[in-house]
Amino acid sequence: AQTVTQSQPEMSVQEAETVTLSCTYDTSENNYYLFWYKQPPSRQMILVIRQEAYKQQNATENRFSVNFQKAAKSFSLKISDSQLGDTAMYFCAFIPGAQKLVFGQGTRLTINP
Amino acid sequence: DGGITQSPKYLFRKEGQNVTLSCEQNLNHDAMYWYRQDPGQGLRLIYYSQIVNDFQKGDIAEGYSVSREKKESFPLTVTSAQKNPTAFYLCASTASRQVWGYTFGSGTRLTVV
C-alpha cells in the first residue's frame, strides 16, 4: 500500500524559531516525487517544496528545506526563521511511480507572536 | 490568468438529495481529480480523469459520480447514497507530461442539513 504518515497532528512555536515537521511514507516504487503543501485558513493548497526521489540533494526554497532520507522513507520539512504567515495546515504528499498524489493526515502548525 | 474554478464555495444539501459540484480549468490540463478533505484524514482521492470521456475510481468513490464531456470541466455529483457527505471538496488538474505539477481549486464546502 502507498501511504503517508504525519505523526504530529499539531505543533506550535514562537515567531523566528525553527520548526521541523515529520513525514514518513511507504512504497515499493523506486521512482517517485515528494511534496510539502501548505493550506492556510483560506484552504487554498499551496506547493511549498518538491523533491524527486532520484535526487540525493535535499531541496531548498528560501526558508523551507527538506531532509530526505530515502532508505528510511523519511521526508521532513524544516522551516527556518518562522513567520506568522507560516501558520497553516501542512500536508506531506507523494506520487508513487505513475500513480496519483497521496496525502498524509496533515500537521496543524501555529506560529505564535 | 489560468487556473481552476470551483463553485459554489459553500453548498448545503438536504438528506436524500443529489448535488453537483462544479470544477472548471483553463490550463489546458489533460488530467483532473477530485479529493475529499476531512479533519484528521488529509485528502482522499474520489475520482480522476486522464482524458475526455474517461474516468477512474479513486479510493473512496462510493456514493459519488463524475463526467468528463469536455477537457475543461469535471463535475462531481454527490448522490444520496453517500452516507456522510459533509466535507471539503478539492478539485485539481495536471498536464499529462508534468504529473508532479498539481494545480488546486479553492474548494467547495458541502454541508448536509
Side-chain angles (χ1 to χ4, degrees):
Chain A
Q2 323 283 3
T3 59
V4 179
T5 302
Q6 295 179 246
S7 59
Q8 305 150 312
E10 295 188 23
M11 296 188 72
S12 178
V13 298
Q14 296 299 119
E15 192 176 9
E17 290 183 346
T18 294
V19 59
T20 299
L21 280 58
S22 301
C23 173
T24 59
Y25 57 93
D26 187 24
T27 183
S28 57
E29 300 283 345
N30 192 46
N31 295 319
Y32 46 89
Y33 294 91
L34 294 153
F35 308 85
W36 277 98
Y37 282 93
K38 171 184 177 180
Q39 188 181 46
S42 67
R43 307 202 78 167
Q44 181 70 47
M45 293 292 283
I46 301 167
L47 177 65
V48 175
I49 202 164
R50 183 183 83 213
Q51 173 85 40
E52 289 89 344
Y54 64 87
K55 290 185 177 179
Q56 293 186 336
Q57 185 174 4
N58 290 324
T60 299
E61 289 289 341
N62 300 313
R63 297 182 296 108
F64 299 87
S65 61
V66 298
N67 183 4
F68 174 45
Q69 302 290 329
K70 190 172 185 178
K73 296 182 180 177
S74 172
F75 185 61
S76 61
L77 174 70
K78 185 173 80 172
I79 305 174
S80 303
D81 186 26
S82 58
Q83 301 174 359
L84 297 178
D86 295 334
T87 293
M89 282 290 290
Y90 286 81
F91 291 98
C92 179
F94 82 130
I95 298 176
Q99 300 180 47
K100 307 300 164 275
L101 192 58
V102 178
F103 287 87
Q105 306 93 323
T107 296
R108 184 176 301 278
L109 176 64
T110 301
I111 309 300
N112 299 306
Chain B
D1 289 338
I4 295 181
T5 301
Q6 288 189 242
S7 61
K9 191 172 180 66
Y10 299 97
L11 187 57
F12 297 89
R13 188 195 95 171
K14 293 182 179 180
E15 287 195 24
Q17 284 184 337
N18 293 353
V19 290
T20 297
L21 284 59
S22 171
C23 178
E24 304 275 336
Q25 54 99 359
N26 60 2
L27 300 164
N28 200 33
H29 283 174
D30 301 294
M32 298 186 74
Y33 312 82
W34 275 106
Y35 286 89
R36 170 178 171 144
Q37 183 176 6
D38 295 283
Q41 295 194 53
L43 281 73
R44 294 178 290 168
L45 183 64
I46 305 172
Y47 266 100
Y48 64 98
S49 168
Q50 295 178 302
I51 195 170
V52 175
N53 293 323
D54 188 42
F55 48 84
Q56 286 78 40
K57 293 181 179 180
D59 301 319
I60 55 166
E62 185 176 351
Y64 299 97
S65 66
V66 293
S67 63
R68 187 85 187 278
E69 297 177 1
K70 299 186 300 181
K71 188 176 184 179
E72 303 80 22
S73 179
F74 191 41
L76 174 73
T77 296
V78 185
T79 75
S80 57
Q82 170 51 237
K83 299 306 180 187
N84 185 22
T86 294
F88 186 67
Y89 292 86
L90 274 167
C91 179
S93 69
T94 59
S96 59
R97 294 186 179 274
Q98 290 187 338
V99 295
W100 61 86
Y102 274 65
T103 299
F104 288 87
S106 56
T108 293
R109 172 68 183 178
L110 173 63
T111 304
V112 174
V113 296

